[in-house]
């Protein structure tokens, strides 16, 4: 049987869009090169005709007609192949778009399954309860901070005028001296003022003959 009918040729790989489009690009480029060559030949003939008398231009004219016919044929081929190339390009773009859509749909399905599985492990009630516990703890912390920030043994009703008067009575020199380094035998100015006021008050209410005794008693109470 093989001797009678022969052996068929092995089939090659099936054509693909990319392979066909690549061949089409090469073919169109080859036709472009031929058209440019014909244009160059026509230009040379035209230049020769400009230098040749009209009676001797017959052969040049015939050659130009032949080149123009070849150029027109190549232009028709170029137009047809370009149209085929555009159709292949549209088909290839559509195929790529379908493949991308299939990949996107498959990915979305997989991610949807993973999302559903993960959502089963999330309890919204527990999350809300945790948030409530956090708010309560933050409120307790705030209360603790307020309690710890309270001052000890401080009279809230302090007379501002009394404080200003006390500050005005302070002696600048006494303030400049370190504590415990006052001059021996001297009384600070603010204590002297208090002693004078106390002495005047006692003199107003003391009986006659007792003023001297009260003054001596007051002096004894003052620090040295």
């Amino acid at each position: 049987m093989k001797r009678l009918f022969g052996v068929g040729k092995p089939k090659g790989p099936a054509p693909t869009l990319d392979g066909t489009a690549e061949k089409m690009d090469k073919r169109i480029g080859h036709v472009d090169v031929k058209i440019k060559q014909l244009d160059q030949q026509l230009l040379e003939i035209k230049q020769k005709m400009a230098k040749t008398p009209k009676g001797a231009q017959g052969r040049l004219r015939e050659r130009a007609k032949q080149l123009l016919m070849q150029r027109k044929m190549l232009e028709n081929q170029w137009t047809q192949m370009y149209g085929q190339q555009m159709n292949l390009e549209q088909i290839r773009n559509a195929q790529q778009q379908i493949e991308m859509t299939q990949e996107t749909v498959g990915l979305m399905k997989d991610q949807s399954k993973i999302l559903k599985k993960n959502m089963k492990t999330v309890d919204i009630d527990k999350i809300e309860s945790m948030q409530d516990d956090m708010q309560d703890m933050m409120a307790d912390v705030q209360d603790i901070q307020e309690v710890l920030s309270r001052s000890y043994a401080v009279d809230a009703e302090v007379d501002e005028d009394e404080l200003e008067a006390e500050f005005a009575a302070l002696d600048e020199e006494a303030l400049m001296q370190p504590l415990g380094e006052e001059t021996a035998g001297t009384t600070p100015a603010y204590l002297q003022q208090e002693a004078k006021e106390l002495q005047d008050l006692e003199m107003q209410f003391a009986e006659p003959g007792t003023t001297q005794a009260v003054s001596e008693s007051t002096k004894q109470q003052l620090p040295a």
Side-chain angles (χ1 to χ4, degrees), residues 75-119:
E75 286 179 348
N76 291 334
Q77 291 181 3
W78 186 92
T79 302
Q80 293 175 358
M81 287 188 296
Y82 184 76
Q84 294 174 5
Q85 185 187 37
M86 292 295 296
N87 293 334
L88 289 176
E89 191 66 27
Q90 291 178 358
I91 295 173
R92 182 166 59 178
N93 291 337
Q95 183 65 29
Q96 291 176 352
Q97 187 66 31
I98 292 173
E99 292 176 356
M100 291 179 61
T101 302
Q102 291 175 345
E103 291 179 2
T104 303
V105 172
L107 180 61
M108 292 177 66
K109 288 182 179 179
D110 295 338
Q111 293 301 318
S112 177
K113 293 179 182 179
I114 296 173
L115 183 60
K116 288 180 180 179
K117 182 179 179 180
N118 293 335
M119 285 299 295

Side-chain angles (χ1 to χ4, degrees), residues 49-164:
M49 289 178 63
K51 300 177 181 180
T52 304
K54 292 183 178 181
Q57 294 179 358
R59 293 179 60 184
L60 294 175
R61 289 182 181 275
E62 290 296 327
R63 180 57 180 167
K65 289 179 181 180
Q66 292 177 359
L67 293 176
L68 287 173
M69 290 177 63
Q70 292 179 13
R71 187 177 186 277
K72 187 173 183 64
M73 181 183 64
L74 291 174
E75 286 179 348
N76 291 334
Q77 291 181 3
W78 186 92
T79 302
Q80 293 175 358
M81 287 188 296
Y82 184 76
Q84 294 174 5
Q85 185 187 37
M86 292 295 296
N87 293 334
L88 289 176
E89 191 66 27
Q90 291 178 358
I91 295 173
R92 182 166 59 178
N93 291 337
Q95 183 65 29
Q96 291 176 352
Q97 187 66 31
I98 292 173
E99 292 176 356
M100 291 179 61
T101 302
Q102 291 175 345
E103 291 179 2
T104 303
V105 172
L107 180 61
M108 292 177 66
K109 288 182 179 179
D110 295 338
Q111 293 301 318
S112 177
K113 293 179 182 179
I114 296 173
L115 183 60
K116 288 180 180 179
K117 182 179 179 180
N118 293 335
M119 285 299 295
K120 292 180 180 179
T121 61
V122 178
D123 190 346
I124 187 65
D125 295 332
K126 291 183 179 180
I127 294 176
E128 290 181 351
S129 178
M130 180 185 66
Q131 288 288 75
D132 294 338
D133 293 340
M134 291 295 296
Q135 291 180 357
D136 293 340
M137 287 188 289
M138 294 302 295
D140 293 340
V141 171
Q142 184 66 26
D143 293 339
I144 293 172
Q145 294 298 325
E146 291 180 358
V147 172
L148 293 176
S149 63
R150 294 176 183 173
S151 301
Y152 298 104
V154 176
D155 187 4
E157 298 180 357
V158 177
D159 191 349
E160 296 292 337
D161 295 336
E162 293 182 0
L163 292 177
E164 292 182 2

Side-chain angles (χ1 to χ4, degrees), residues 22-34:
E22 185 178 356
K23 291 180 181 179
M24 193 68 67
D25 290 337
K26 292 180 179 180
R27 180 59 181 168
I28 291 175
H30 182 66
V31 173
D32 283 335
V33 172
K34 285 187 175 182

